[in-house]
mmCIF file of all heavy atoms in Angstrom:
data_model
loop_
_atom_site.group_PDB
_atom_site.id
_atom_site.type_symbol
_atom_site.label_atom_id
_atom_site.label_comp_id
_atom_site.label_asym_id
_atom_site.label_seq_id
_atom_site.Cartn_x
_atom_site.Cartn_y
_atom_site.Cartn_z
ATOM 1 N N GLY A 32 3.381 -5.745 7.610
ATOM 2 C CA GLY A 32 4.626 -4.968 7.527
ATOM 3 C C GLY A 32 5.524 -5.247 8.716
ATOM 4 O O GLY A 32 6.317 -4.409 9.143
ATOM 5 N N SER A 34 8.142 -6.972 9.382
ATOM 6 C CA SER A 34 9.607 -6.981 9.393
ATOM 7 C C SER A 34 10.186 -5.633 8.992
ATOM 8 O O SER A 34 11.388 -5.489 8.847
ATOM 9 C CB SER A 34 10.151 -8.108 8.503
ATOM 10 O OG SER A 34 9.593 -8.043 7.221
ATOM 11 N N GLY A 35 9.339 -4.627 8.833
ATOM 12 C CA GLY A 35 9.819 -3.293 8.487
ATOM 13 C C GLY A 35 10.321 -2.533 9.698
ATOM 14 O O GLY A 35 10.295 -3.032 10.822
ATOM 15 N N GLY A 36 10.771 -1.317 9.461
ATOM 16 C CA GLY A 36 11.362 -0.505 10.528
ATOM 17 C C GLY A 36 10.393 -0.238 11.666
ATOM 18 O O GLY A 36 10.713 -0.439 12.838
ATOM 19 N N ILE A 37 9.206 0.211 11.339
ATOM 20 C CA ILE A 37 8.196 0.463 12.374
ATOM 21 C C ILE A 37 7.555 -0.855 12.805
ATOM 22 O O ILE A 37 7.292 -1.078 13.990
ATOM 23 C CB ILE A 37 7.123 1.450 11.843
ATOM 24 C CG1 ILE A 37 7.747 2.841 11.644
ATOM 25 C CG2 ILE A 37 5.928 1.516 12.787
ATOM 26 C CD1 ILE A 37 6.841 3.854 10.971
ATOM 27 N N GLY A 38 7.347 -1.760 11.845
ATOM 28 C CA GLY A 38 6.651 -3.008 12.137
ATOM 29 C C GLY A 38 7.379 -3.870 13.152
ATOM 30 O O GLY A 38 6.762 -4.410 14.072
ATOM 31 N N ASP A 56 4.417 -10.336 6.513
ATOM 32 C CA ASP A 56 5.147 -9.445 5.601
ATOM 33 C C ASP A 56 5.386 -10.247 4.327
ATOM 34 O O ASP A 56 4.994 -11.423 4.242
ATOM 35 C CB ASP A 56 6.472 -8.975 6.247
ATOM 36 C CG ASP A 56 6.925 -7.618 5.686
ATOM 37 O OD1 ASP A 56 7.069 -7.504 4.451
ATOM 38 O OD2 ASP A 56 7.130 -6.688 6.479
ATOM 39 N N LEU A 57 6.049 -9.659 3.367
ATOM 40 C CA LEU A 57 6.219 -10.327 2.072
ATOM 41 C C LEU A 57 7.164 -11.521 2.127
ATOM 42 O O LEU A 57 6.969 -12.511 1.434
ATOM 43 C CB LEU A 57 6.773 -9.318 1.047
ATOM 44 C CG LEU A 57 5.793 -8.267 0.517
ATOM 45 C CD1 LEU A 57 6.551 -7.201 -0.270
ATOM 46 C CD2 LEU A 57 4.728 -8.923 -0.356
ATOM 47 N N ILE A 81 2.799 -13.323 3.436
ATOM 48 C CA ILE A 81 1.828 -13.174 2.331
ATOM 49 C C ILE A 81 2.033 -11.809 1.699
ATOM 50 O O ILE A 81 2.634 -10.911 2.303
ATOM 51 C CB ILE A 81 0.340 -13.269 2.790
ATOM 52 C CG1 ILE A 81 -0.021 -12.141 3.776
ATOM 53 C CG2 ILE A 81 0.004 -14.626 3.351
ATOM 54 C CD1 ILE A 81 -1.532 -11.944 3.959
ATOM 55 N N ASP A 82 1.505 -11.643 0.488
ATOM 56 C CA ASP A 82 1.325 -10.306 -0.062
ATOM 57 C C ASP A 82 0.010 -9.812 0.527
ATOM 58 O O ASP A 82 -1.068 -10.326 0.198
ATOM 59 C CB ASP A 82 1.257 -10.374 -1.595
ATOM 60 C CG ASP A 82 1.016 -9.004 -2.215
ATOM 61 O OD1 ASP A 82 0.508 -8.093 -1.514
ATOM 62 O OD2 ASP A 82 1.315 -8.838 -3.413
ATOM 63 N N ALA A 83 0.095 -8.837 1.410
ATOM 64 C CA ALA A 83 -1.094 -8.413 2.159
ATOM 65 C C ALA A 83 -2.119 -7.694 1.293
ATOM 66 O O ALA A 83 -3.228 -7.423 1.756
ATOM 67 C CB ALA A 83 -0.677 -7.535 3.336
ATOM 68 N N CYS A 109 0.222 -2.060 8.868
ATOM 69 C CA CYS A 109 1.441 -1.241 8.880
ATOM 70 C C CYS A 109 2.231 -1.387 7.577
ATOM 71 O O CYS A 109 3.172 -0.640 7.324
ATOM 72 C CB CYS A 109 2.299 -1.645 10.083
ATOM 73 S SG CYS A 109 3.679 -0.554 10.417
ATOM 74 N N ALA A 110 1.853 -2.338 6.730
ATOM 75 C CA ALA A 110 2.580 -2.529 5.467
ATOM 76 C C ALA A 110 2.485 -1.266 4.628
ATOM 77 O O ALA A 110 1.458 -0.586 4.620
ATOM 78 C CB ALA A 110 2.002 -3.712 4.690
ATOM 79 N N GLY A 111 3.557 -0.955 3.952
ATOM 80 C CA GLY A 111 3.545 0.223 3.093
ATOM 81 C C GLY A 111 4.788 0.271 2.246
ATOM 82 O O GLY A 111 5.742 -0.503 2.455
ATOM 83 N N ALA A 132 0.387 -1.455 -2.318
ATOM 84 C CA ALA A 132 1.172 -1.677 -1.096
ATOM 85 C C ALA A 132 0.640 -0.859 0.083
ATOM 86 O O ALA A 132 0.711 -1.300 1.232
ATOM 87 C CB ALA A 132 2.640 -1.333 -1.346
ATOM 88 N N ASN A 133 0.117 0.326 -0.190
ATOM 89 C CA ASN A 133 -0.310 1.195 0.909
ATOM 90 C C ASN A 133 -1.812 1.132 1.181
ATOM 91 O O ASN A 133 -2.223 1.065 2.339
ATOM 92 C CB ASN A 133 0.102 2.649 0.612
ATOM 93 C CG ASN A 133 1.610 2.828 0.661
ATOM 94 O OD1 ASN A 133 2.209 2.809 1.736
ATOM 95 N ND2 ASN A 133 2.235 2.967 -0.503
ATOM 96 N N THR A 136 -3.293 -3.120 0.762
ATOM 97 C CA THR A 136 -3.015 -3.955 1.932
ATOM 98 C C THR A 136 -3.979 -3.634 3.072
ATOM 99 O O THR A 136 -4.509 -4.540 3.725
ATOM 100 C CB THR A 136 -1.562 -3.772 2.418
ATOM 101 O OG1 THR A 136 -1.319 -2.367 2.621
ATOM 102 C CG2 THR A 136 -0.552 -4.310 1.420
ATOM 103 N N VAL A 159 -2.208 2.358 9.320
ATOM 104 C CA VAL A 159 -1.108 3.323 9.376
ATOM 105 C C VAL A 159 -1.131 4.175 8.107
ATOM 106 O O VAL A 159 -0.968 3.671 6.993
ATOM 107 C CB VAL A 159 0.249 2.618 9.557
ATOM 108 C CG1 VAL A 159 1.378 3.640 9.568
ATOM 109 C CG2 VAL A 159 0.244 1.814 10.870
ATOM 110 N N ALA A 160 -1.366 5.455 8.288
ATOM 111 C CA ALA A 160 -1.427 6.406 7.171
ATOM 112 C C ALA A 160 -0.101 7.154 7.107
ATOM 113 O O ALA A 160 0.974 6.562 7.283
ATOM 114 C CB ALA A 160 -2.616 7.343 7.367
ATOM 115 N N SER A 161 -0.143 8.454 6.895
ATOM 116 C CA SER A 161 1.074 9.279 6.843
ATOM 117 C C SER A 161 0.656 10.736 6.779
ATOM 118 O O SER A 161 -0.395 11.062 6.201
ATOM 119 C CB SER A 161 1.907 8.932 5.600
ATOM 120 O OG SER A 161 2.937 9.882 5.423
ATOM 121 N N TYR A 175 2.067 7.894 -3.468
ATOM 122 C CA TYR A 175 2.094 7.520 -2.049
ATOM 123 C C TYR A 175 1.114 8.385 -1.254
ATOM 124 O O TYR A 175 0.315 7.879 -0.464
ATOM 125 C CB TYR A 175 3.521 7.680 -1.527
ATOM 126 C CG TYR A 175 3.706 7.409 -0.055
ATOM 127 C CD1 TYR A 175 3.779 6.108 0.433
ATOM 128 C CD2 TYR A 175 3.821 8.456 0.861
ATOM 129 C CE1 TYR A 175 3.959 5.860 1.790
ATOM 130 C CE2 TYR A 175 4.006 8.220 2.217
ATOM 131 C CZ TYR A 175 4.074 6.922 2.677
ATOM 132 O OH TYR A 175 4.251 6.673 4.016
ATOM 133 N N LYS A 179 -2.163 7.103 0.773
ATOM 134 C CA LYS A 179 -2.324 7.315 2.222
ATOM 135 C C LYS A 179 -3.572 8.149 2.521
ATOM 136 O O LYS A 179 -4.238 7.924 3.536
ATOM 137 C CB LYS A 179 -1.068 7.976 2.800
ATOM 138 C CG LYS A 179 0.152 7.045 2.834
ATOM 139 C CD LYS A 179 -0.094 5.796 3.661
ATOM 140 C CE LYS A 179 1.186 5.027 3.949
ATOM 141 N NZ LYS A 179 0.954 3.782 4.702
ATOM 142 N N PRO A 205 1.775 8.794 11.043
ATOM 143 C CA PRO A 205 3.110 9.157 11.535
ATOM 144 C C PRO A 205 3.687 10.345 10.778
ATOM 145 O O PRO A 205 3.453 10.505 9.585
ATOM 146 C CB PRO A 205 3.966 7.912 11.229
ATOM 147 C CG PRO A 205 3.018 6.837 10.809
ATOM 148 C CD PRO A 205 1.808 7.542 10.278
ATOM 149 N N GLY A 206 4.458 11.132 11.504
ATOM 150 C CA GLY A 206 5.339 12.106 10.849
ATOM 151 C C GLY A 206 6.609 11.370 10.443
ATOM 152 O O GLY A 206 6.617 10.138 10.323
ATOM 153 N N PRO A 207 7.706 12.095 10.251
ATOM 154 C CA PRO A 207 8.955 11.443 9.831
ATOM 155 C C PRO A 207 9.538 10.582 10.946
ATOM 156 O O PRO A 207 9.824 11.069 12.036
ATOM 157 C CB PRO A 207 9.872 12.621 9.506
ATOM 158 C CG PRO A 207 9.338 13.764 10.301
ATOM 159 C CD PRO A 207 7.867 13.555 10.406
ATOM 160 N N ILE A 208 9.677 9.291 10.657
ATOM 161 C CA ILE A 208 10.155 8.327 11.655
ATOM 162 C C ILE A 208 11.489 7.765 11.175
ATOM 163 O O ILE A 208 11.655 7.488 9.973
ATOM 164 C CB ILE A 208 9.138 7.180 11.851
ATOM 165 C CG1 ILE A 208 7.737 7.742 12.165
ATOM 166 C CG2 ILE A 208 9.588 6.209 12.946
ATOM 167 C CD1 ILE A 208 7.647 8.607 13.402
ATOM 168 N N THR A 210 13.620 5.324 10.133
ATOM 169 C CA THR A 210 13.675 3.928 9.655
ATOM 170 C C THR A 210 14.367 3.915 8.308
ATOM 171 O O THR A 210 14.676 4.961 7.745
ATOM 172 C CB THR A 210 12.256 3.353 9.455
ATOM 173 O OG1 THR A 210 11.613 4.156 8.465
ATOM 174 C CG2 THR A 210 11.435 3.342 10.719
ATOM 175 N N ALA A 212 13.092 3.296 5.478
ATOM 176 C CA ALA A 212 12.296 3.967 4.442
ATOM 177 C C ALA A 212 12.682 5.438 4.358
ATOM 178 O O ALA A 212 12.808 5.994 3.269
ATOM 179 C CB ALA A 212 10.808 3.821 4.739
HETATM 180 N N1 NAD B 301 9.138 5.791 8.293
HETATM 181 C C1 NAD B 301 8.424 6.906 8.182
HETATM 182 O O1 NAD B 301 8.947 8.019 8.308
HETATM 183 C C2 NAD B 301 6.948 6.837 7.913
HETATM 184 C C3 NAD B 301 6.215 8.039 7.899
HETATM 185 C C4 NAD B 301 4.846 7.991 7.663
HETATM 186 C C5 NAD B 301 4.222 6.779 7.448
HETATM 187 N N2 NAD B 301 4.945 5.635 7.455
HETATM 188 C C6 NAD B 301 4.237 4.382 7.210
HETATM 189 O O2 NAD B 301 4.500 3.482 8.267
HETATM 190 C C7 NAD B 301 4.444 2.140 7.783
HETATM 191 C C8 NAD B 301 5.737 1.417 8.115
HETATM 192 O O3 NAD B 301 6.788 2.139 7.532
HETATM 193 P P1 NAD B 301 8.329 1.755 7.732
HETATM 194 O O4 NAD B 301 9.052 3.018 7.856
HETATM 195 O O5 NAD B 301 8.450 0.709 8.772
HETATM 196 O O6 NAD B 301 8.644 1.153 6.284
HETATM 197 P P2 NAD B 301 9.411 -0.182 5.911
HETATM 198 O O7 NAD B 301 9.621 -0.131 4.434
HETATM 199 O O8 NAD B 301 10.588 -0.379 6.787
HETATM 200 O O9 NAD B 301 8.341 -1.304 6.248
HETATM 201 C C9 NAD B 301 7.214 -1.548 5.454
HETATM 202 C C10 NAD B 301 7.010 -3.050 5.380
HETATM 203 O O10 NAD B 301 5.826 -3.300 4.610
HETATM 204 C C11 NAD B 301 6.089 -4.449 3.840
HETATM 205 N N3 NAD B 301 5.203 -4.504 2.687
HETATM 206 C C12 NAD B 301 5.170 -3.673 1.635
HETATM 207 N N4 NAD B 301 4.262 -4.080 0.742
HETATM 208 C C13 NAD B 301 3.699 -5.205 1.259
HETATM 209 C C14 NAD B 301 2.723 -6.117 0.794
HETATM 210 N N5 NAD B 301 2.117 -5.949 -0.404
HETATM 211 N N6 NAD B 301 2.393 -7.163 1.569
HETATM 212 C C15 NAD B 301 2.999 -7.346 2.761
HETATM 213 N N7 NAD B 301 3.948 -6.535 3.253
HETATM 214 C C16 NAD B 301 4.293 -5.482 2.496
HETATM 215 C C17 NAD B 301 7.540 -4.327 3.425
HETATM 216 O O11 NAD B 301 8.073 -5.578 3.023
HETATM 217 C C18 NAD B 301 8.164 -3.755 4.678
HETATM 218 O O12 NAD B 301 8.688 -4.763 5.521
HETATM 219 C C19 NAD B 301 4.189 2.243 6.283
HETATM 220 O O13 NAD B 301 2.815 2.095 6.027
HETATM 221 C C20 NAD B 301 4.655 3.651 5.960
HETATM 222 O O14 NAD B 301 4.056 4.159 4.796
HETATM 223 C C21 NAD B 301 6.298 5.626 7.678
#
Side-chain angles (χ1 to χ4, degrees):
S34 52
I37 292 173
D56 207 304
L57 286 169
I81 62 164
D82 178 339
C109 190
N133 291 288
T136 53
V159 178
S161 169
Y175 177 79
K179 290 301 192 182
I208 307 301
T210 61

